Amino acid sequence: MTILDKIVLRKKKEVAAAKIVTSYTQLEERDLFLREPLSFRDFLLDPERTGIIAEFKRKSPSKGVINDQVKVTEVTRAYENAGASALSVLTDRHFFGGSKTDLLHAAKFSYVPILRKDFMIDEYQIVEAKTLGADIILLIAAILTPAEIKQFAALAKGIGMNVLLEVHNREELERSLDDNLDAIGVNNRNLADFSVSVDTSFQLVEHIPNQFLKISESAISSTHVIKQLKAVGFNGFLIGENFMRQPNPGAAMEEFVKELR
């Protein structure tokens, strides 16, 4: 069983437990369910911002604890001030040290779109994401069928949310495309063994239709790589560990952006 298999197995149990505590109707009665999510496209393509989707992540299955000494509100606000086009907040507790409360706290002070970074395997999580303040949901092709991707993307768009599809190879990309997707993210990290290579992005970019925003995720540690990725057509760059492994992630991003401009 791979790490990804273990994550999905646990996620199914977590979602089943959450449904017992809070029903769909109760979710839809929350104030945040009525808010209009921010446009991922507008912020990502804003020339005044960086194209960086800055991630708050305390730990990972591959690296262990990355940084558990900082507060989500302080880091995410600093990311925004440094020019982040969007934020990514982990809500998986067991494997990544995140929480739904982290997302709520980040959203309370945020003025850029927020991605709920989690392993979405049920429609319930999509509705829940909106009530936690997320603007964007993540659909991972490696754990979903084409029918599930189509179903989940339609639901998300129906409640006003942005949809980011994550792929790891051309087969996942081609079987998963759907008009309700806003962006295609190429994860340079193999979720089966957590090895990383930015070459994955360079190999797949020409196969992503231009109607979608193009995002490169993980393994980005230099401004030189971002400039190369921009040159081949990428609009956004998800960066987490490169900032989070520093004592002050926000300051780390600020210095990184100075080299980018």
Side-chain angles (χ1 to χ4, degrees), residues 35 37-41 43-44 52-53 85-89 91 103 112-118 120 125-126 128-130 132-139 156-157 160-165 181-184 213 215 217 238:
R35 66 183 281 270
L38 298 173
S39 168
F40 188 26
R41 177 175 291 273
F43 277 82
L44 200 66
I52 293 173
I53 304 159
S85 295
L87 303 173
S88 172
V89 178
T91 55
L103 181 52
V112 301
I114 303 180
L115 167 69
R116 180 187 184 179
K117 187 75 172 290
D118 211 319
M120 313 296 269
Q125 295 166 285
I126 298 169
E128 182 183 55
K130 189 175 185 185
L132 295 172
D135 304 280
I136 313 161
I137 63 154
L138 178 69
L139 300 180
K157 297 306 288 185
M161 300 193 74
N162 305 269
V163 185
L164 169 61
L165 172 73
L181 302 172
D182 296 285
I184 307 296
L213 296 166
I215 316 295
E217 306 172 9
L238 192 147

Side-chain angles (χ1 to χ4, degrees), residues 123-236:
E123 289 184 335
Y124 181 90
Q125 295 166 285
I126 298 169
V127 176
E128 182 183 55
K130 189 175 185 185
T131 71
L132 295 172
D135 304 280
I136 313 161
I137 63 154
L138 178 69
L139 300 180
I140 302 175
I143 63 174
L144 298 171
T145 66
E148 287 173 326
I149 290 169
K150 187 177 185 67
Q151 175 186 349
F152 292 174
L155 170 61
K157 297 306 288 185
I159 58 175
M161 300 193 74
N162 305 269
V163 185
L164 169 61
L165 172 73
E166 178 178 293
V167 301
H168 306 82
N169 55 52
R170 187 173 175 181
E171 186 274 330
E172 288 181 358
L173 171 65
E174 292 181 346
R175 68 174 163 84
S176 305
L177 293 176
D178 184 84
D179 287 341
N180 280 319
L181 302 172
D182 296 285
I184 307 296
V186 179
N187 194 339
N188 300 310
R189 176 175 285 110
N190 184 322
L191 289 183
D193 60 15
F194 280 73
S195 61
V196 294
S197 173
V198 75
D199 287 341
T200 307
S201 284
F202 290 110
Q203 291 165 5
L204 288 185
V205 65
E206 65 180 332
H207 302 292
I208 302 173
N210 289 330
Q211 74 186 83
F212 303 109
L213 296 166
K214 301 177 184 183
I215 316 295
S216 182
E217 306 172 9
S218 304
I220 301 171
S221 58
S222 74
T223 55
H224 176 67
V225 171
I226 286 186
K227 290 172 183 177
Q228 288 181 316
L229 289 166
K230 278 186 176 181
V232 297
F234 280 98
N235 312 108

Side-chain angles (χ1 to χ4, degrees), residues 13-54:
K13 295 177 181 177
E14 290 178 359
V15 173
K19 287 179 178 179
I20 294 172
V21 175
T22 308
S23 68
Y24 274 100
T25 301
Q26 289 171 313
L27 286 178
E28 291 170 354
E29 289 173 348
R30 292 179 177 175
D31 290 342
L32 284 174
F33 184 75
L34 300 176
R35 66 183 281 270
E36 184 68 28
L38 298 173
S39 168
F40 188 26
R41 177 175 291 273
D42 288 351
F43 277 82
L44 200 66
L45 299 183
D46 182 350
E48 296 300 312
R49 307 203 71 80
T50 60
I52 293 173
I53 304 159

